[in-house]
Amino acid sequence: MALVFRAAVQFVGILLSLLGWVLSIITTFLPHWKNLNLDLNEMENWTVGLWQTCVTQEEVGMQCKDFDSFLALPAELRISRILMFLSNGLGFLGLLVSGFGLDCLRIGERQQDVKKQLLILGGILFWTAGVTALVPVSWVAHRTVQEFWDETIPEIVPRWEFGEALFIGWFAGFSLLLGGCLLNWAACGTQIPLASGHYAVAEMQTQCSYLENGTANPSV
């Protein structure tokens, strides 16, 4: 029963981490980090992402234009590009490392200490990936709130608001954090079972000791 519970925790942890990693990639390239609705023209909606800005019109549809210069971007967008790429890379490494540490994988079955260390390392990588995904999303959200309530900007000027990518990024970051916590708890908080070969060796040594004592029945 303990083995089934341990395997279930590992499966949920790796599944949440995989979901968070996929959502972090979507967040990186989704051009909806900030939205702008024009009161004078409700048929037009502007969105900004890390790579391009888009305008959606009812008659024309969506048209996007890539940013001309990386250095010309605001600081939060420049740093967000780097951190989101780092999050994607760490999440991928976490999937590779923790995958080899799962109990359901027969590779390295006799090296439980190594599998435990791989599982812990994978959980740490997922933690780091989650933090590096939450930082840029929260930073852009903080700057958006500051600009929205900036009293120095005239009220007639449209204000940027949260885009869908921010909410997806928050969900991705927390999924990576939770997945990493489950993997580390499965590795450190539960007893690692001995491999089947170890059970056979232990049983053979026990039987030999009984024979040396002149009995083959452990109850005697």
Side-chain angles (χ1 to χ4, degrees):
M1 188 65 182
L3 295 178
V4 175
F5 179 73
R6 173 187 168 89
V9 172
Q10 291 181 1
F11 177 75
V12 174
I14 201 71
L15 188 63
L16 283 174
S17 302
L18 176 61
L19 176 62
W21 176 65
V22 172
L23 291 179
S24 69
I25 295 177
I26 295 176
T27 304
T28 303
F29 297 99
L30 194 66
H32 294 84
W33 282 59
K34 295 193 295 183
N35 293 342
L36 178 64
N37 295 320
L38 300 177
D39 295 333
L40 299 177
N41 187 3
E42 297 180 356
M43 302 297 180
E44 191 172 280
N45 183 25
W46 289 81
T47 61
V48 170
L50 298 181
W51 308 95
Q52 57 188 358
T53 179
C54 300
V55 56
T56 303
Q57 298 175 335
E58 185 175 354
E59 298 180 356
V60 181
M62 177 179 288
Q63 294 179 333
C64 298
K65 182 180 183 300
D66 295 336
F67 293 121
D68 297 329
S69 174
F70 173 78
L71 298 178
L73 293 175
E76 63 270 18
L77 295 184
R78 294 198 306 268
I79 303 301
S80 295
R81 281 190 183 185
I82 299 173
L83 291 179
M84 290 305 297
F85 266 125
L86 182 61
S87 176
N88 298 337
L90 291 174
F92 179 72
L93 289 178
L95 288 173
L96 289 180
V97 172
S98 59
F100 288 104
L102 297 176
D103 290 342
C104 59
L105 191 66
R106 296 298 182 180
I107 300 177
E109 194 175 23
R110 296 179 181 272
Q111 299 176 344
Q112 292 295 335
D113 291 338
V114 177
K115 291 175 71 71
K116 176 181 177 180
Q117 294 174 0
L118 290 176
L119 207 61
I120 294 175
L121 179 58
I124 295 175
L125 288 173
F126 286 135
W127 281 349
T128 311
V131 172
T132 52
L134 289 174
V135 168
V137 172
S138 301
W139 189 6
V140 172
H142 175 68
R143 290 291 300 166
T144 303
V145 172
Q146 281 186 327
E147 294 173 359
F148 187 87
W149 297 109
D150 191 354
E151 297 180 354
T152 61
I153 301 177
E155 295 183 359
I156 195 174
V157 177
R159 310 296 176 96
W160 291 98
E161 298 183 7
F162 292 170
E164 294 83 355
L166 297 183
F167 299 99
I168 298 176
W170 278 319
F171 187 81
F174 286 118
S175 296
L176 288 168
L177 288 176
L178 182 58
C181 289
L182 290 176
L183 290 178
N184 279 271
W185 182 79
C188 301
T190 56
Q191 184 67 28
I192 297 179
L194 292 174
S196 57
H198 293 177
Y199 281 120
V201 172
E203 184 178 357
M204 183 178 297
Q205 292 176 349
T206 304
Q207 292 295 336
C208 291
S209 63
Y210 293 149
L211 292 175
E212 290 177 357
N213 293 332
T215 176
N217 188 358
S219 63
V220 176

